[in-house]
Amino acid sequence: DTAVSQTPKYLVTQMGNDKSIKCEQNLGHDTMYWYKQDSKKFLKIMFSYNNKELIINETVPNRFSPKSPDKAHLNLHINSLELGDSAVYFCASSQPGHDYEQYFGPGTRLTVT
Amino acid sequence: DAKTTQPTSMDCAEGRAANLPCNHSTISGNEYVYWYRQIHSQGPQYIIHGLKNNETNEMASLIITEDRKSSTLILPHATLRDTAVYYCIVRASNNAGNMLTFGGGTRLMVKP
């Protein structure tokens, strides 16, 4: 059974478009995250979210916005895509009291042309 | 969060112990040491964490020096499937948002 899943696995789109990446976790976790891994393989936190608060990494452009329809889902919306947004995006989740152990999804490779 | 320093890459023979060092000389008293790994084309995977005592689980052992300025992750019997990038992360337990900050990591290559 997949614990943290993401769709799509690959996404190719043109500059200026708006796109979304979906994330679902079936672990019953309360907190979910989005990370970005660039071409140099550096993995950076973008957002941390639970039903109480959203923590945003200050370096993330406001073109990126997480949206959570329910506790099991945290989708990532990206407006006006730019070439520099090309990266692999990972979703993760954790449970209260065990936030050191984050479960990651398989990643979504976004290519902006 | 304290900064960590790891070797860029290491090799290990299959079946031997892999010892991955991490320097965190500016670690604070409330900061834990976490280890994650990322196998090629997969998401990161939690391995182990500790504060000041040595820790062991089914995946690895974590040895933290008495002054807590460095630590070593030990994979006792490395297999080819342990080839991955290993990340040492230092983070306070009350870190806002529970965010992890990944550095460059160590690329471990396990060879037959």
Side-chain angles (χ1 to χ4, degrees), chain A residues 9 31 33 35 37 41-43 45-48 55-57 90 99-102 104-106, chain B residues 34 36 38 40-46 49 87 91 96-104 107:
Chain A
K9 186 170 178 63
T31 306
Y33 314 82
Y35 289 81
Q37 188 165 40
K41 302 299 183 182
F42 288 109
L43 193 62
I45 181 70
M46 299 178 72
F47 304 101
S48 165
I55 305 293
I56 304 172
N57 184 320
F90 290 98
D99 294 306
Y100 53 83
E101 185 172 0
Q102 297 182 12
F104 283 76
Chain B
Y34 302 82
Y36 275 70
Q38 186 175 20
H40 182 63
S41 296
Q42 296 183 21
Q45 176 190 22
Y46 165 82
H49 78 287
Y87 297 98
R91 195 197 76 174
N98 305 305
M99 298 184 178
L100 296 173
T101 301
F102 289 79
R107 183 172 297 278

Side-chain angles (χ1 to χ4, degrees), chain B residues 4-44:
Chain B
T4 61
T5 304
Q6 298 178 254
T8 304
S9 63
M10 292 181 64
D11 289 345
C12 177
E14 187 179 18
R16 304 298 291 268
N19 297 294
L20 295 109
C22 180
N23 183 291
H24 31 80
S25 58
T26 59
I27 192 170
S28 300
N30 68 340
E31 291 182 315
Y32 285 73
V33 180
Y34 302 82
W35 283 83
Y36 275 70
R37 73 179 182 184
Q38 186 175 20
I39 295 170
H40 182 63
S41 296
Q42 296 183 21

